[in-house]
Amino acid sequence: MENPLLLFPQLNISASKDKSYYKVMKSMIKEEPHKASKPGAKQKRNRLSLLLQKPEFHESDHLGKTGNLAKAASVSPEEAVKWAESFDKLLSEKAGLDAFTKFLKTEFSEENIEFWVACEDYKKSKTAHELLSKAKTIFETFIQKDAPKEVNLDFHTKEVTSQNIHQPLITTFDTAQNTVYRLMEQDSYPRFLRSDPYLNLIKGRNPSLPTLRRRSRSFTVNDFQGARPDFTVW
């Protein structure tokens, strides 16, 4: 049988060309990754450098998530010990308020302290227009049914507050604010004093990370009548 390459010489030419093309492409493939590797690595280093410069990569911006009370509050153990004197003492100091807010976030109940702070700000309003504007915002955020950060108020308190919202006064939210204050004082505050981050803070150690806990049910002020903060940890 005759050699097919002799019968069809073009096949031999094509094969020769394919081999040459393959050799050229193979050499290009070997060179290209080498050439691209340097700028690729440089780009990665630049991107990493930019990421590390962003605020969200700094530890201080994650304090609210980690519950690192010592770094968040920047207070001495002696100062932190005073927070156990009373709930009012804790909230009267910015560092104490910040630490307690971070603790409530770990319990998914930060709406209570946010409402209390909003009411404190509301009482600083200077004009009727400012009162009306802030009252509307507080009501829609914390009090009305299915509000995004609805606080747990008894029916009577919610009804009275809802009726007074149309002509707000400095005292419009006093009853609701006092109710939430008592709930925090009798429920969340004692747990805060027993929490590992706080106990480590007053002992001068680096706080450990708190365990995130979901509330098993909603509480009302009636659940805590006659209750007192637990200071047995001292």
Side-chain angles (χ1 to χ4, degrees), residues 68-82:
N68 194 330
L69 303 186
K71 292 182 180 179
S74 297
V75 296
S76 67
E78 291 75 20
E79 291 176 296
V81 166
K82 295 179 182 178

Side-chain angles (χ1 to χ4, degrees), residues 170-181:
I170 289 292
T171 58
T172 293
F173 296 104
D174 281 3
T175 301
Q177 185 185 17
N178 290 336
T179 298
V180 171
Y181 179 94

Side-chain angles (χ1 to χ4, degrees), residues 67-166:
N68 194 330
L69 303 186
K71 292 182 180 179
S74 297
V75 296
S76 67
E78 291 75 20
E79 291 176 296
V81 166
K82 295 179 182 178
W83 298 348
E85 293 178 2
S86 69
F87 187 47
D88 185 63
K89 177 68 175 177
L90 173 69
L91 299 188
S92 66
E93 298 184 7
K94 185 180 184 304
L97 176 61
D98 290 344
F100 185 63
T101 300
K102 289 176 174 60
F103 170 75
L104 291 186
K105 286 181 179 180
T106 69
E107 296 201 328
F108 304 95
S109 59
E110 65 271 20
E111 72 277 0
N112 291 325
I113 193 64
E114 289 177 4
F115 171 67
W116 184 84
V117 170
C119 290
E120 288 295 289
D121 177 70
Y122 170 80
K123 289 184 285 190
K124 297 175 183 177
S125 301
K126 303 296 183 182
T127 65
H129 176 74
E130 190 176 2
L131 275 177
L132 183 60
S133 175
K134 289 184 178 180
K136 184 175 183 294
T137 299
I138 291 174
F139 180 78
E140 293 177 350
T141 304
F142 299 102
I143 297 179
Q144 72 178 11
K145 185 179 180 181
D146 297 325
K149 296 184 178 182
E150 185 177 5
V151 292
N152 196 344
L153 299 173
D154 59 88
F155 178 79
H156 176 71
T157 299
K158 181 172 288 192
E159 281 296 302
V160 171
T161 305
S162 300
Q163 293 171 7
N164 295 335
I165 202 70
H166 302 293

